[in-house]
Amino acid sequence: MKVLPVLLIQMLTCCSAEKHNLSGKMFTFPEESDTAHVVLSPDQSKSLTAVTMCLRFFSDLVRAQSLFSFATPESSNAFLLYKQANGVYEVDQNDKFVLFRALGENPNQWNSVCVTWNSENGIAQVWVNGKYSARKGINKGKEISGAPSIVLGQEQDTYGGKFDKAQSFVGMVTDIHMWDSVLPSSEILLYMSRIPQKIGGNVINWESLDFTLKEYVILEDQ
Ligand SMILES: *[C@@H]1O[C@H](CO)[C@@H](O)[C@H](O)[C@H]1NC(C)=O
């Protein structure tokens, strides 16, 4: 029995990349703050020339809020999904941004959101609850490179920090996935219908997630 604590300490210190299957769970951000956040460690940190990121959120906030903040040492807004107002989504790519409007989501319900972007033609698109936006161009030919710092619950104004309470998320988030490609519409619609994906994200996978809770965030059953 005396060996156990030693083993435990070794387990905690040796392998930071522990994966958790969070199926059926959610992150709850219970109050407005400039501290509460979740750090996600991606499965790969190679340069990205295409992206799909999907998540579900539940909130009653009417002010602007950050949904997904991906920074690199070069750009604090390397890839950001920011809800400016009801139905208005801002997508940032390497510090440029484009707005997608009229994508109304529902307060106090789970809303499914996906955003896609690819470098080849610069086209970005946002999907909300099965409805898709106009396709708009941003940073054609650019890529997302450098070690990612991925944060939920706050918006990074510097690499890994400088949070602003007025941009924080309050509510619940679940089912986050990120792929290094643009998923076909059929796959995005499966996600929106909550039909389990055949293939989870290969950059971030909710069913195999390496994450760290910081300050007042709770992991609980949905
Ligand atoms: C995660 O857990 C769910 C529910 O138990 C299961 O259906 C799913 O196959 C698991 N995913 C992985 C990648 O193991």
Side-chain angles (χ1 to χ4, degrees):
M1 291 303 279
K2 280 202 178 124
V3 198
L4 273 178
V6 177
L7 269 180
L8 191 62
I9 288 163
Q10 280 176 350
M11 279 165 63
L12 290 173
T13 51
C14 89
C15 317
S16 59
E18 204 193 328
K19 305 284 188 179
H20 301 267
N21 181 347
L22 297 188
S23 176
K25 307 249 181 217
M26 63 187 182
F27 293 132
T28 299
F29 299 86
E31 65 177 20
E32 185 173 270
S33 78
D34 59 3
T35 52
H37 65 289
V38 180
V39 176
L40 303 182
S41 304
D43 288 342
Q44 49 180 273
S45 51
K46 68 178 172 91
S47 296
L48 297 168
T49 54
V51 175
T52 301
M53 192 286 295
C54 294
L55 57 77
R56 286 183 243 285
F57 72 93
F58 186 117
S59 180
D60 63 2
L61 277 189
V62 289
R63 65 156 168 78
Q65 57 185 327
S66 177
L67 293 175
F68 182 84
S69 172
F70 182 124
T72 60
E74 271 171 35
S75 166
S76 58
N77 299 326
F79 188 70
L80 170 70
L81 180 62
Y82 187 75
K83 190 158 85 70
Q84 283 201 350
N86 191 3
V88 183
Y89 289 80
E90 171 185 328
V91 175
D92 291 51
Q93 208 279 331
N94 288 346
D95 293 323
K96 287 195 172 170
F97 74 90
V98 64
L99 288 182
F100 298 91
R101 299 185 188 84
L103 288 165
E105 69 286 327
N106 307 306
N108 294 328
Q109 273 185 32
W110 284 106
N111 293 285
S112 301
V113 183
C114 294
V115 50
T116 65
W117 172 79
N118 83 80
S119 171
E120 193 184 351
N121 55 16
I123 292 295
Q125 188 167 35
V126 176
W127 294 68
V128 180
N129 298 334
K131 206 175 145 184
Y132 56 82
S133 72
R135 293 163 65 76
K136 299 189 182 182
I138 180 169
N139 276 341
K140 176 175 181 289
K142 293 270 169 61
E143 53 183 50
I144 302 168
S145 58
S149 165
I150 306 176
V151 166
L152 301 177
Q154 300 287 341
E155 201 271 311
Q156 303 173 82
D157 280 339
T158 59
Y159 186 64
K162 204 155 184 242
F163 303 144
D164 178 354
K165 189 172 167 168
Q167 300 181 321
S168 68
F169 177 83
V170 184
M172 298 91 84
V173 175
T174 190
D175 292 342
I176 300 157
H177 289 273
M178 185 171 184
W179 292 263
D180 65 353
S181 61
V182 173
L183 287 193
S185 311
S186 55
E187 286 288 313
I188 291 179
L189 285 168
L190 285 182
Y191 178 87
M192 305 244 137
S193 327
R194 286 179 161 262
I195 297 170
Q197 302 294 112
K198 278 191 257 53
I199 305 159
N202 63 351
V203 181
I204 293 168
N205 187 335
W206 187 249
E207 296 190 354
S208 174
L209 194 69
D210 181 3
F211 67 95
T212 312
L213 303 182
K214 303 277 190 179
E215 304 288 336
Y216 192 25
V217 186
I218 298 163
L219 174 65
E220 55 186 349
D221 289 337
Q222 248 184 69

